[in-house]
Amino acid sequence: MLWSHVLGVQRAWLIAHDRDPIAAADWDQYHTLQAQRHEGVPMAYLLGWREFMGHRFEVGPGVLIPRPETEVLVSHVLEQVLPRFEQPRILDLGTGSGIVAISLALACPRATVVATDVCPTALSWATKNARTLCDGNIEILQGNWYDALLAHDTFDVIVSNPPYIAADDVHLAQGDLRAEPGKALTDGHDGLQFLQTIITGAPHFLRPLGALWVEHGWNQHQAVRELMLKEGFSEVHSINDLASIPRISGGIINF
Ligand SMILES: C[S@@+](CC[C@H](N)C(=O)[O-])C[C@H]1O[C@@H](n2cnc3c(N)ncnc32)[C@H](O)[C@@H]1O
């Protein structure tokens, strides 16, 4: 991957040209990247992109690297939730690099999409990706969860992949997570605080029969579903990821 990146060629080209001489400048660039990788810099930050839902999203330090689990959230919303609405208005809370909002907008051109985040660095990546991938056809707002919105704004669908890792989770000190922004990973508490904020706020911003779907940790589905039921959601259920672990939960608001 690093050689493909340095030389600007596909993997097949590398295999077919395995005896070509390498220019000194390319050699130096490769070794600089290799050293950074050994120090733990995530591959996505070195390459400057990560694929998500078949699209290439630009990412770098300061924004969460897209995860395959989040494709479960987007696929489910696309296949099971959006078909119920003629012209859905969608809100993506904590958009990061914009992967959820932009993938939904690309796959459902009849939707209007609003994306929010509290972090200016994340929003600059989201804005860049929105411009490149969908002509900037997404409203991007900065603010603390629902504070980014006008009080009277309403949506058919709210989606979110919030920071849900507990502050004392040992994984925060391992692998790529060490290099990613802490505020994109953890709520600084038990991992459920932001999920609770999103779930309790959703009824104020959802239209009648609107849907809320959130991504959460491997052991949080029961707590998330209880919070949703308490707020008056119906048809509350979870969907498993490819490892058969419930990783997204959602429901419909009844008014
Ligand atoms: C787990 S990341 C998800 C990013 C992106 N949606 C994705 O799936 O790759 C959570 C995002 O929530 C944002 N966030 C954290 N605290 C927030 C807050 N108080 N209000 C709004 N967004 C927040 C972070 O900046 C981060 O981009």
Side-chain angles (χ1 to χ4, degrees), residues 52 59 62-67 70 73-74 92-101 116-120 122-123 141-148 159-164 181-187 194 197-198 215:
F52 182 83
V59 292
V63 73
L64 192 91
I65 298 165
R67 303 290 204 275
T70 310
L73 177 69
V74 174
D92 172 24
L93 289 168
T95 198
S97 60
I99 55 167
V100 174
T116 76
D117 206 292
V118 77
C119 167
L123 287 177
L141 304 170
Q142 186 181 1
N144 180 34
W145 302 123
Y146 296 101
D147 294 350
V159 281
S160 185
N161 172 21
Y164 53 70
K183 288 199 163 120
L185 297 166
T186 176
D187 59 4
F194 288 155
T197 303
I198 289 164
E215 182 176 321

Side-chain angles (χ1 to χ4, degrees), residues 108-121:
C108 183
R110 65 183 198 286
T112 54
V113 183
V114 176
T116 76
D117 206 292
V118 77
C119 167
T121 310

Side-chain angles (χ1 to χ4, degrees), residues 97-190:
S97 60
I99 55 167
V100 174
I102 293 169
S103 300
L104 291 174
L106 285 169
C108 183
R110 65 183 198 286
T112 54
V113 183
V114 176
T116 76
D117 206 292
V118 77
C119 167
T121 310
L123 287 177
S124 66
W125 288 105
T127 305
K128 199 168 185 217
N129 285 318
R131 279 200 197 115
T132 312
L133 295 166
C134 60
D135 296 330
N137 188 22
I138 287 178
E139 197 180 345
I140 295 177
L141 304 170
Q142 186 181 1
N144 180 34
W145 302 123
Y146 296 101
D147 294 350
L149 306 168
L150 295 172
H152 59 265
D153 210 351
T154 55
F155 301 87
D156 297 298
V157 181
I158 298 177
V159 281
S160 185
N161 172 21
Y164 53 70
I165 302 177
D168 60 0
D169 191 316
V170 290
H171 294 98
L172 290 170
Q174 296 171 6
D176 283 1
L177 275 64
R178 291 167 300 168
E180 291 178 287
K183 288 199 163 120
L185 297 166
T186 176
D187 59 4
H189 298 277
D190 62 355

Side-chain angles (χ1 to χ4, degrees), residues 7-77:
L7 299 178
V9 298
Q10 301 286 330
R11 185 174 156 77
W13 190 98
L14 290 177
I15 294 165
H17 294 80
D18 64 339
R19 283 165 188 271
D20 283 17
I22 287 169
D26 292 336
W27 191 249
D28 289 346
Q29 192 191 349
Y30 171 81
H31 279 283
T32 304
L33 291 169
Q34 192 193 45
Q36 289 176 299
R37 183 69 192 128
H38 280 305
E39 282 161 19
V41 179
M43 206 64 178
Y45 288 170
L46 293 176
L47 302 177
W49 60 274
R50 174 61 49 92
E51 190 181 306
F52 182 83
M53 294 297 292
H55 311 294
R56 184 183 278 221
F57 286 87
E58 289 188 44
V59 292
V63 73
L64 192 91
I65 298 165
R67 303 290 204 275
E69 302 91 272
T70 310
E71 292 189 346
V72 178
L73 177 69
V74 174
S75 300
H76 179 74
V77 169

Side-chain angles (χ1 to χ4, degrees), residues 199-214:
I199 294 165
T200 53
H204 306 285
F205 291 91
L206 278 174
R207 295 173 180 170
L209 298 179
L212 169 67
W213 277 91
V214 295

